[in-house]
Amino acid sequence: MKHNTVSAIINLVEPWEELKSLTENRPVGTLPFGGRYRLIDFPLSSIANAGIRNVMITSPRSGRSVADHLRSGNDWNLDTIRGGLFNFPYNDLSLVSPEKKEALIHHYYDNTILFLKRSNSEYSVVMGTRNICNIDLAALLRYHKERDNPVTTVYKSVDAKSVDPDTKVLQVTDNGMATAVVAASNTNVSPNEDGKLAKSLNIYLMSTVDLIDILNEANMRGELISLERLMLRAVIQHNANAFEYTGFYANIHDIGSYYDASMSILGEDNFRALFYSQRRIYTKVKNEIPTFFAKSSQVKGSLCGTGGYIEGQIKHSVIFRNVLINRNSKITNSVIMQGTRIGAGTTIENVIIDKNVVVGPNLQLKGTPENPLVIGKGKRIFRQTEVENV
């Protein structure tokens, strides 16, 4: 891709309430995934692999966790003299006071418009972080240039029986054009002859001039709505080219979907499709020693990050960096995030444990595959009664 052809906006203002146990102190985009990554790493890696060098991050709150993960952007080759990463915090309108909203009317999209104008890019891509994929944005740009519609959006064909009623899907015409993005429960939506629906991946490509016009018009109307809703309107207003993505895909919209996605990458085919394609997935680099596996440890079908110390048994689980698992403990079908310590003799099954949790010895933590138990960030649990009150 020619330098400076495309700029990118990663929109972190995404629904988080159904993931509240894990997103009280972070946007969905910085949710840990896959032993060492964050959800934002996937769109950022696609951007880096396509040679895009101007990237805007719209954060819902202070953006502290976003800034801590991205730092200068060097790990995605975005620490450049021209362009780079631009983080714009406090974009969650649900947290803005009425007085502040009054001041924002006619100016809510000013920062985005300024970024786009200064990028001098011909095209812009808008992406979210809830859909985990490894998309080729250069191919998306070629597809867009070969067609007449001003907007191109991306979908994944999924089995209609696996789709929730609230899932956003494309209405696709016979000639491959998207006319709207609507809920799967919409009466105008029907599966194709193969029983598939076009699940929206919330990725939109258009000319930068057109995107600036859309934002200016929203400002003039005094609309305070999310960038995602503006993109949905753009598809209805202009129609859109529908680009099919065929690689690994997972959608994170609640605790169950996060758990299922985490378990799914333990399958070798899924793991290789996501992390070992021609397009690498990059994340924040940490120079750490390898995890130490004691003679008493038994690890099967699991993913383990670096810097840990393992004495117990791990089966079909995702273990992040710097996790300590004491002897005689058993971890099964679980996700244990960075910096957590598990006491000796403790049994953990179908559980998601956030960062820096301490679990005492000889405890039983059990959920179910349909309803995994979640332990919030920084919790200290030393008694069985404390487990039951989580």
Side-chain angles (χ1 to χ4, degrees):
M1 185 183 296
K2 186 179 177 182
H3 180 68
N4 229 27
T5 301
V6 181
S7 58
I9 298 174
I10 297 180
N11 181 25
L12 299 185
V13 187
E14 301 174 293
W16 57 274
E17 291 82 359
E18 297 298 322
L19 288 154
K20 188 175 181 180
S21 304
L22 299 172
T23 55
E24 278 187 309
N25 301 304
R26 59 165 78 96
V28 176
T30 55
L31 193 57
F33 185 80
R36 59 192 291 248
Y37 302 92
R38 305 292 182 112
L39 296 188
I40 194 174
D41 290 334
F42 298 96
L44 261 184
S45 297
S46 295
I47 288 166
N49 289 326
I52 298 171
R53 293 294 175 264
N54 280 287
V55 183
M56 176 182 183
I57 311 289
T58 59
S59 302
R61 307 177 198 174
S62 69
R64 183 193 57 78
S65 65
V66 179
D68 177 62
H69 182 65
L70 301 181
R71 299 183 292 196
S72 66
N74 180 61
D75 296 317
W76 297 266
N77 198 23
L78 289 168
D79 184 14
T80 60
I81 295 175
R82 295 182 178 179
L85 278 174
F86 300 88
N87 190 9
F88 292 82
Y90 300 111
N91 289 282
D92 188 346
L93 289 167
S94 66
L95 304 176
V96 176
S97 67
E99 296 78 12
K100 182 68 174 175
K101 282 185 178 178
E102 188 67 27
L104 280 175
I105 289 179
H106 306 301
H107 299 283
Y108 180 58
Y109 297 106
D110 284 358
N111 287 334
T112 310
I113 293 169
L114 183 63
F115 163 78
L116 292 171
K117 287 182 176 178
R118 290 184 175 177
S119 72
N120 292 318
S121 58
E122 188 175 357
Y123 298 95
S124 294
V125 60
V126 180
M127 310 176 74
T129 64
R130 286 171 294 163
N131 295 297
I132 299 171
C133 62
N134 187 352
I135 188 171
D136 184 351
L137 291 179
L140 178 65
L141 178 62
R142 290 194 297 272
Y143 186 88
H144 178 79
K145 287 180 174 179
E146 292 168 356
R147 285 158 179 81
D148 297 329
N149 290 313
V151 182
T152 296
T153 189
V154 183
Y155 72 94
K156 169 80 174 178
S157 286
V158 296
D159 192 334
K161 296 178 181 177
S162 67
V163 172
D164 295 330
D166 294 334
T167 300
K168 290 288 190 297
V169 299
L170 305 186
Q171 283 183 356
V172 183
T173 63
D174 292 341
N175 61 354
M177 187 171 63
T179 56
V181 183
V182 296
S185 58
N186 190 299
T187 54
N188 295 321
V189 173
S190 58
N192 63 16
E193 57 186 14
D194 297 323
K196 302 283 188 180
L197 288 174
K199 167 74 178 69
S200 170
L201 296 194
N202 198 25
I203 299 173
Y204 305 90
L205 176 69
M206 66 189 77
S207 80
T208 300
V209 171
D210 286 345
L211 181 54
I212 291 174
D213 286 345
I214 290 171
L215 298 173
N216 272 327
E217 289 171 8
N219 264 350
M220 290 176 63
R221 291 193 296 267
E223 288 185 322
L224 296 179
I225 61 174
S226 68
L227 183 60
E228 183 174 339
R229 284 183 60 190
L230 275 186
M231 294 300 98
L232 299 183
R233 285 188 184 180
V235 173
I236 296 173
Q237 184 175 349
H238 302 288
N239 290 335
N241 311 308
F243 178 87
E244 183 178 7
Y245 168 76
T246 58
F248 174 85
Y249 154 83
N251 175 256
I252 308 295
H253 58 275
D254 58 17
I255 295 296
S257 62
Y258 173 77
Y259 177 78
D260 290 342
S262 298
M263 294 296 102
S264 71
I265 62 164
L266 293 173
E268 186 173 350
D269 290 344
N270 288 337
F271 184 82
R272 289 188 176 280
L274 183 60
F275 295 109
Y276 281 88
S277 74
Q278 293 178 334
R279 297 176 298 279
R280 286 185 56 188
I281 302 297
Y282 302 93
T283 189
K284 179 180 178 179
V285 173
K286 290 186 176 180
N287 295 318
E288 295 175 318
I289 61 173
T291 287
F292 178 82
F293 295 91
K295 289 184 178 179
S296 60
S297 66
Q298 296 180 30
V299 180
K300 186 175 182 181
S302 299
L303 190 61
C304 294
T306 56
Y309 186 89
I310 310 296
E311 290 183 336
Q313 299 178 25
I314 304 172
K315 183 178 180 182
H316 199 254
S317 297
V318 179
I319 311 297
F320 283 72
R321 292 161 162 162
N322 296 308
V323 171
L324 185 150
I325 298 176
N326 268 300
R327 64 184 57 191
N328 299 324
S329 56
K330 296 180 179 179
I331 317 296
T332 306
N333 296 330
S334 295
V335 178
I336 300 181
M337 298 186 193
Q338 182 175 325
T340 288
R341 302 171 69 87
I342 307 298
T346 288
T347 298
I348 294 175
E349 187 174 346
N350 300 314
V351 179
I352 301 170
I353 300 181
D354 206 333
K355 292 175 60 178
N356 301 321
V357 171
V358 177
V359 180
N362 302 314
L363 299 179
Q364 304 278 329
L365 282 70
K366 288 192 176 182
T368 65
E370 297 77 22
N371 188 24
L373 177 67
V374 180
I375 309 296
K377 184 177 180 181
K379 296 278 188 181
R380 301 289 187 267
I381 299 174
F382 296 104
R383 300 176 181 174
Q384 192 63 39
T385 54
E386 294 174 325
V387 176
E388 294 161 0
N389 293 327
V390 168

